[in-house]
Amino acid sequence: MKRRDFIKFSALAATAAQASRIEGVKQTIFDNKKVFGANRFGPFWANLNSSQIVSVSDFEGDKFPNTMNYSLPDSVQNENRVLYPMVRKSYLKAKGAAKSELRGKEEFVRVSWDTALDLAAKALKENFDKYGAEAIYGECYWWGGSGKVSWGRTVAHRMLKVLGGYVEESGDYSTGAGLVIMPHVLGGSAVYDAPTKWKAIVKNAKNVVFWGTDPIVTNQISSVPPTHDGYLGMQELKKSDIKTYSVNVMINDTARYYGSENIIVRPNTDTALIIGMCHYLFTNNLYDEEFIKKYTVGFNKFKDYFLGTQDKVVKDIEWASKICGVPAGTIAQFATRLAKEPTTVLIGRALQRADHGEQPFWALVVLNAMLGHVGKEGLGFEFSLGYGSAGATDKIAPVLKGLSTRIDEKYENIDGAPWKTTKNITIPSSRSIEALEHPGKEIDYDGTKIKLPHMRVAYMASGSMFTRHQDVNNIVKQWRKFDTVITAEPYWTSTAKFSDIVLPVAIEVERNDINQTGSTGEYIVAYKPAIEPMGESKSDFWICEQICKRWGRGEVFSEGKDELGWMKEFYADAAEQAKGLNLTMPSFEEFYEKGYVRFEKDNTETELYTRLAAFRENPAKNRLGTPSGKIEIYSPTIAKMNYADCPPMPTWIEPKEWLGNATKKYPLHVVSPHSRYRLHSQLNNSIIRNFAEVSGREPVLINPKDAKERGLATGDVARVFNDRGEILAGVLITDIVPERVVAICEGAWYDPEIWGEKSLCQHGCVNVLTFDKGTSKLAQSNSAHTVLAQIEKFKGEIKPITAFSKPKILQSI
Ligand SMILES: Nc1nc2c(c(=O)[nH]1)N[C@H]1C(S)=C(S)[C@@H](COP(=O)(O)OP(=O)(O)OC[C@H]3O[C@@H](n4cnc5c(=O)[nH]c(N)nc54)[C@H](O)[C@@H]3O)O[C@H]1N2
Ligand SMILES: Nc1nc2c(c(=O)[nH]1)N[C@H]1C(S)=C(S)[C@@H](COP(=O)(O)OP(=O)(O)OC[C@H]3O[C@@H](n4cnc5c(=O)[nH]c(N)nc54)[C@H](O)[C@@H]3O)O[C@H]1N2
Ligand SMILES: [Mo]
């Protein structure tokens, strides 16, 4: 297949026809039928012939079907699938840890499932027994696979609980800073709360502000199969005469869809813009004094800060303008309009994936408090509408349960039951590579001290370290410190290639599972094996159960049930709940045959739900979970922590790298938005990549002026680099990015020229450039968006991309 050719959707069928020649493809389970399925892109119909999935049709219950699923025939039957259990040659020879520096360089050997599972079980058990939970890195990330029974992350955690314990990460890469700062400000993690409904927004708002968010793109996918109902509300917004703004570092798809007024800020400077707005609202008496008095604490201290009472720096709109680049007049107009008219501010997450990422989230809550719309129907701020297609009217439906990572009490007394006595070691999200680099180091975290664990064995499932995590060259270096890396993966990703034991995983269309659609809960859906798993791949559930069996604890893991058994149990529980809601559900067998059960009735009680409405209505009765029970503009709790990098109120602190300290050497800020052509790294190995790439690489979006200065033309292969690393990317000149900002989407597969060394990435994995530092001592989350670099036309030899090739495989040693 010529990967570099641009192709049309109609070509997908042709790909499927070729797919039958791929080694590993077996029979379909249902001949010439359409079979229902679901995944993180949504529910769908898989159209089969006798040997493969030929195409995918939209599910009629999906309001805006996600075109990503059209690439399913290619992504399932992909040449890049891991077909058989594999062990790295030296590791297999030594029957255990050996020559970790050869990872990525050395051949893999095809082995039997027994050999692979024995080695995996042994490495985990021996290291746990000798060193305890701190030796086992079991975080497993998020986005690979899904389902209530056999999601790789849950089953891996359950397996490692059965072992006794492991190292996990608190929070996540998505909103790690928000999750830790918000409890101090709003009394709860807030960022994942049920959001204000679109219906309420469209009914009441005169202005909607998209603040660092691109919901048109990011609502395509969800943790649970989305039926994309949120887009209905977004369509209503489009039809209305509500004015929209987009505060962003570039003009994104959402801003273009709505024709928004673009307020373009320098990356990572939102906090300064917001503080300038607060100063303006205060000095022009445009702020809601009554709201501040009744619902917040600490305003006077913040006022002193923006007035410059102590530091003699007045944080007015001119001050803000110099930092963020938005003209002072624009800031004044913007602030005035938001104060005078009913406004809803929709907040994205990229803002807080940056050095001091706690600050913009806190500052935005404070700005909204000053605007005073918070808690009025459909107004105020909202964190959760940029994801999962949320905000539509809920359905009256049972809530489907899922497999738990807790071990049932009935197994407490067997075999010493280590899961009863051993505790997991928790480190803040995204601190794993720091732990490898500095085991035993004590770091600050949200008022506590955390000793970084000494990790020796990694079990990786459902996540992709080399595209997810920052500073890839440092990962490559630190990764060698693992004695054993076990990766459960459907594909030969870079993480798989850097492993010792690779376990081939069957994906959603090859196995059984059950789920409920998001965000309204309208359908409970069955995942059915439409085709036989490719090669010898198996479900994550099966793999983890087999490993537990080798510790003599298979039943502790499975409780004697297989995947279908668990599905039936969760379905029966839902059916029981349904009775209480006056709903009837068909038998499990009927449900499974059809593929889904629908709950049609709207829950009209919550259709105008608004965040903090109850608090606004009665702040004494509906106190927030903060110490004061109110919104904390100044936090005495954080003050006591005494962190220079996280002051006790929203504060502008220069990020480590930003355009304000850019040098001649590295004059450009790199932002890494989420791509509309994939889910992080997923599907990048499939045919959909052809829609996204430029010259066979991840595109780098660059402004015409910056391109001209460097003699770059669209279609050129460019080298983007800084002291941490270098990547090649395909140049796309466009004025949707401002001067001195370049955008490279996260998730392009890592493709080092030399595997296992600090090396040029030939394909454009942006995390080769980013730096790996916690946001602050408070949240210690990732700072992926704080990065300066330079770009030039690539003059070297352009070599073929190897990211999607299989490693060298031996049939035996
Ligand atoms: N620079 C930069 N970096 C970022 C971000 C950014 O904005 N900028 N965003 C961050 C964010 S918000 C997130 S959430 C993370 C995402 O990070 P991840 O969740 O690690 O991202 P994915 O690429 O989706 O990784 C999922 C992996 O699981 C595999 N997989 C698929 N199906 C299955 C299955 O059934 N079983 C198993 N075991 N594996 C399966 C896939 O092949 C893939 O390798 O990235 C973060 N990294
Ligand atoms: N299609 C698709 N959808 C997805 C995902 C995916 O990979 N693909 N990933 C999902 C996941 S796990 C998550 S966490 C969410 C991510 O959701 P978000 O974090 O909200 O998404 P991003 O694309 O990282 O960034 C949103 C917008 O912020 C802008 N931005 C970047 N830096 C700044 C800044 O300093 N200031 C301002 N004002 N704006 C800035 C970007 O240009 C972009 O338009 O998306 C989810 N949805
Ligand atoms: Mo995320």
Side-chain angles (χ1 to χ4, degrees), residues 141 143 172-175 192 349 353 387 674 680:
Y141 205 61
W143 288 97
D172 55 36
Y173 284 71
S174 310
T175 57
Y192 292 126
R349 299 168 172 181
R353 285 199 291 280
Y387 157 84
H674 291 221
H680 310 295

PDB file of all heavy atoms in Angstrom, residues 141 143 172-175 192 349 353 387 674 680, ligand 3:
ATOM      1  N   TYR A 141      -1.894   2.941  31.029  1.00  0.00           N
ATOM      2  CA  TYR A 141      -2.650   4.183  30.904  1.00  0.00           C
ATOM      3  C   TYR A 141      -4.078   3.943  30.438  1.00  0.00           C
ATOM      4  O   TYR A 141      -4.704   2.976  30.842  1.00  0.00           O
ATOM      5  CB  TYR A 141      -1.860   5.256  30.141  1.00  0.00           C
ATOM      6  CG  TYR A 141      -2.358   6.611  30.549  1.00  0.00           C
ATOM      7  CD1 TYR A 141      -2.265   7.007  31.885  1.00  0.00           C
ATOM      8  CD2 TYR A 141      -2.985   7.445  29.652  1.00  0.00           C
ATOM      9  CE1 TYR A 141      -2.793   8.222  32.293  1.00  0.00           C
ATOM     10  CE2 TYR A 141      -3.505   8.662  30.062  1.00  0.00           C
ATOM     11  CZ  TYR A 141      -3.417   9.042  31.378  1.00  0.00           C
ATOM     12  OH  TYR A 141      -3.953  10.235  31.788  1.00  0.00           O
ATOM     13  N   TRP A 143      -6.194   4.884  27.151  1.00  0.00           N
ATOM     14  CA  TRP A 143      -7.076   4.984  25.997  1.00  0.00           C
ATOM     15  C   TRP A 143      -7.137   3.756  25.115  1.00  0.00           C
ATOM     16  O   TRP A 143      -7.922   3.699  24.181  1.00  0.00           O
ATOM     17  CB  TRP A 143      -6.739   6.258  25.205  1.00  0.00           C
ATOM     18  CG  TRP A 143      -7.194   7.449  25.970  1.00  0.00           C
ATOM     19  CD1 TRP A 143      -6.431   8.248  26.800  1.00  0.00           C
ATOM     20  CD2 TRP A 143      -8.534   7.937  26.076  1.00  0.00           C
ATOM     21  NE1 TRP A 143      -7.225   9.191  27.386  1.00  0.00           N
ATOM     22  CE2 TRP A 143      -8.512   9.031  26.957  1.00  0.00           C
ATOM     23  CE3 TRP A 143      -9.748   7.545  25.505  1.00  0.00           C
ATOM     24  CZ2 TRP A 143      -9.676   9.748  27.277  1.00  0.00           C
ATOM     25  CZ3 TRP A 143     -10.891   8.263  25.825  1.00  0.00           C
ATOM     26  CH2 TRP A 143     -10.843   9.348  26.699  1.00  0.00           C
ATOM     27  N   ASP A 172      -4.192  12.337  36.248  1.00  0.00           N
ATOM     28  CA  ASP A 172      -3.963  11.873  34.883  1.00  0.00           C
ATOM     29  C   ASP A 172      -3.249  12.925  34.055  1.00  0.00           C
ATOM     30  O   ASP A 172      -2.972  14.019  34.523  1.00  0.00           O
ATOM     31  CB  ASP A 172      -5.292  11.476  34.234  1.00  0.00           C
ATOM     32  CG  ASP A 172      -6.319  12.594  34.275  1.00  0.00           C
ATOM     33  OD1 ASP A 172      -5.921  13.762  34.139  1.00  0.00           O
ATOM     34  OD2 ASP A 172      -7.519  12.315  34.449  1.00  0.00           O
ATOM     35  N   TYR A 173      -2.936  12.547  32.813  1.00  0.00           N
ATOM     36  CA  TYR A 173      -2.244  13.486  31.910  1.00  0.00           C
ATOM     37  C   TYR A 173      -3.208  14.553  31.391  1.00  0.00           C
ATOM     38  O   TYR A 173      -2.790  15.603  30.939  1.00  0.00           O
ATOM     39  CB  TYR A 173      -1.652  12.726  30.714  1.00  0.00           C
ATOM     40  CG  TYR A 173      -0.399  11.958  31.032  1.00  0.00           C
ATOM     41  CD1 TYR A 173      -0.453  10.815  31.815  1.00  0.00           C
ATOM     42  CD2 TYR A 173       0.845  12.367  30.561  1.00  0.00           C
ATOM     43  CE1 TYR A 173       0.694  10.097  32.121  1.00  0.00           C
ATOM     44  CE2 TYR A 173       2.000  11.659  30.849  1.00  0.00           C
ATOM     45  CZ  TYR A 173       1.915  10.517  31.635  1.00  0.00           C
ATOM     46  OH  TYR A 173       3.056   9.812  31.925  1.00  0.00           O
ATOM     47  N   SER A 174      -4.495  14.243  31.420  1.00  0.00           N
ATOM     48  CA  SER A 174      -5.486  15.141  30.817  1.00  0.00           C
ATOM     49  C   SER A 174      -5.639  16.411  31.634  1.00  0.00           C
ATOM     50  O   SER A 174      -5.508  17.516  31.133  1.00  0.00           O
ATOM     51  CB  SER A 174      -6.842  14.441  30.735  1.00  0.00           C
ATOM     52  OG  SER A 174      -6.718  13.181  30.155  1.00  0.00           O
ATOM     53  N   THR A 175      -5.931  16.221  32.906  1.00  0.00           N
ATOM     54  CA  THR A 175      -6.274  17.362  33.767  1.00  0.00           C
ATOM     55  C   THR A 175      -5.559  17.282  35.115  1.00  0.00           C
ATOM     56  O   THR A 175      -6.117  17.677  36.140  1.00  0.00           O
ATOM     57  CB  THR A 175      -7.786  17.397  34.038  1.00  0.00           C
ATOM     58  OG1 THR A 175      -8.139  16.149  34.622  1.00  0.00           O
ATOM     59  CG2 THR A 175      -8.615  17.623  32.815  1.00  0.00           C
ATOM     60  N   TYR A 192     -14.203  16.736  36.342  1.00  0.00           N
ATOM     61  CA  TYR A 192     -14.969  15.633  35.751  1.00  0.00           C
ATOM     62  C   TYR A 192     -16.428  15.609  36.210  1.00  0.00           C
ATOM     63  O   TYR A 192     -17.124  14.619  36.022  1.00  0.00           O
ATOM     64  CB  TYR A 192     -14.290  14.278  36.046  1.00  0.00           C
ATOM     65  CG  TYR A 192     -12.971  14.116  35.327  1.00  0.00           C
ATOM     66  CD1 TYR A 192     -11.810  13.804  36.017  1.00  0.00           C
ATOM     67  CD2 TYR A 192     -12.902  14.280  33.947  1.00  0.00           C
ATOM     68  CE1 TYR A 192     -10.595  13.665  35.342  1.00  0.00           C
ATOM     69  CE2 TYR A 192     -11.692  14.150  33.276  1.00  0.00           C
ATOM     70  CZ  TYR A 192     -10.550  13.842  33.968  1.00  0.00           C
ATOM     71  OH  TYR A 192      -9.358  13.713  33.305  1.00  0.00           O
ATOM     72  N   ARG A 349      -8.503  21.918  28.424  1.00  0.00           N
ATOM     73  CA  ARG A 349      -7.524  21.338  29.348  1.00  0.00           C
ATOM     74  C   ARG A 349      -6.085  21.662  28.999  1.00  0.00           C
ATOM     75  O   ARG A 349      -5.212  21.540  29.853  1.00  0.00           O
ATOM     76  CB  ARG A 349      -7.697  19.825  29.347  1.00  0.00           C
ATOM     77  CG  ARG A 349      -9.061  19.411  29.807  1.00  0.00           C
ATOM     78  CD  ARG A 349      -9.277  17.955  29.507  1.00  0.00           C
ATOM     79  NE  ARG A 349     -10.522  17.497  30.118  1.00  0.00           N
ATOM     80  CZ  ARG A 349     -10.951  16.258  30.038  1.00  0.00           C
ATOM     81  NH1 ARG A 349     -10.243  15.362  29.383  1.00  0.00           N
ATOM     82  NH2 ARG A 349     -12.075  15.911  30.614  1.00  0.00           N
ATOM     83  N   ARG A 353      -1.972  21.852  31.012  1.00  0.00           N
ATOM     84  CA  ARG A 353      -0.854  20.937  30.749  1.00  0.00           C
ATOM     85  C   ARG A 353       0.372  21.781  30.426  1.00  0.00           C
ATOM     86  O   ARG A 353       0.944  21.728  29.341  1.00  0.00           O
ATOM     87  CB  ARG A 353      -1.193  19.994  29.586  1.00  0.00           C
ATOM     88  CG  ARG A 353      -2.169  18.897  29.987  1.00  0.00           C
ATOM     89  CD  ARG A 353      -2.155  17.739  29.012  1.00  0.00           C
ATOM     90  NE  ARG A 353      -2.707  18.090  27.716  1.00  0.00           N
ATOM     91  CZ  ARG A 353      -4.012  18.152  27.440  1.00  0.00           C
ATOM     92  NH1 ARG A 353      -4.917  17.865  28.357  1.00  0.00           N
ATOM     93  NH2 ARG A 353      -4.415  18.487  26.238  1.00  0.00           N
ATOM     94  N   TYR A 387     -15.345  17.347  25.822  1.00  0.00           N
ATOM     95  CA  TYR A 387     -14.888  15.971  25.861  1.00  0.00           C
ATOM     96  C   TYR A 387     -16.069  15.033  26.080  1.00  0.00           C
ATOM     97  O   TYR A 387     -16.975  15.345  26.862  1.00  0.00           O
ATOM     98  CB  TYR A 387     -13.870  15.881  26.995  1.00  0.00           C
ATOM     99  CG  TYR A 387     -13.660  14.536  27.583  1.00  0.00           C
ATOM    100  CD1 TYR A 387     -12.778  13.646  26.984  1.00  0.00           C
ATOM    101  CD2 TYR A 387     -14.350  14.150  28.715  1.00  0.00           C
ATOM    102  CE1 TYR A 387     -12.592  12.404  27.522  1.00  0.00           C
ATOM    103  CE2 TYR A 387     -14.165  12.903  29.251  1.00  0.00           C
ATOM    104  CZ  TYR A 387     -13.281  12.036  28.656  1.00  0.00           C
ATOM    105  OH  TYR A 387     -13.095  10.813  29.192  1.00  0.00           O
ATOM    106  N   HIS A 674      -4.748  18.026  20.247  1.00  0.00           N
ATOM    107  CA  HIS A 674      -5.168  16.661  19.933  1.00  0.00           C
ATOM    108  C   HIS A 674      -5.699  16.634  18.506  1.00  0.00           C
ATOM    109  O   HIS A 674      -6.390  17.539  18.074  1.00  0.00           O
ATOM    110  CB  HIS A 674      -6.218  16.206  20.950  1.00  0.00           C
ATOM    111  CG  HIS A 674      -5.615  16.024  22.313  1.00  0.00           C
ATOM    112  ND1 HIS A 674      -5.932  14.985  23.140  1.00  0.00           N
ATOM    113  CD2 HIS A 674      -4.678  16.746  22.981  1.00  0.00           C
ATOM    114  CE1 HIS A 674      -5.226  15.084  24.251  1.00  0.00           C
ATOM    115  NE2 HIS A 674      -4.462  16.161  24.177  1.00  0.00           N
ATOM    116  N   HIS A 680      -5.110  10.196  20.269  1.00  0.00           N
ATOM    117  CA  HIS A 680      -3.694  10.173  20.659  1.00  0.00           C
ATOM    118  C   HIS A 680      -2.868   9.481  19.567  1.00  0.00           C
ATOM    119  O   HIS A 680      -2.863   9.949  18.449  1.00  0.00           O
ATOM    120  CB  HIS A 680      -3.515   9.529  22.042  1.00  0.00           C
ATOM    121  CG  HIS A 680      -4.420  10.108  23.059  1.00  0.00           C
ATOM    122  ND1 HIS A 680      -4.323  11.420  23.454  1.00  0.00           N
ATOM    123  CD2 HIS A 680      -5.471   9.592  23.745  1.00  0.00           C
ATOM    124  CE1 HIS A 680      -5.265  11.683  24.338  1.00  0.00           C
ATOM    125  NE2 HIS A 680      -5.979  10.596  24.527  1.00  0.00           N
TER     126      HIS A 680
HETATM  127 MO    MO B   3      -6.460  13.129  28.098  1.00  0.00          MO
END
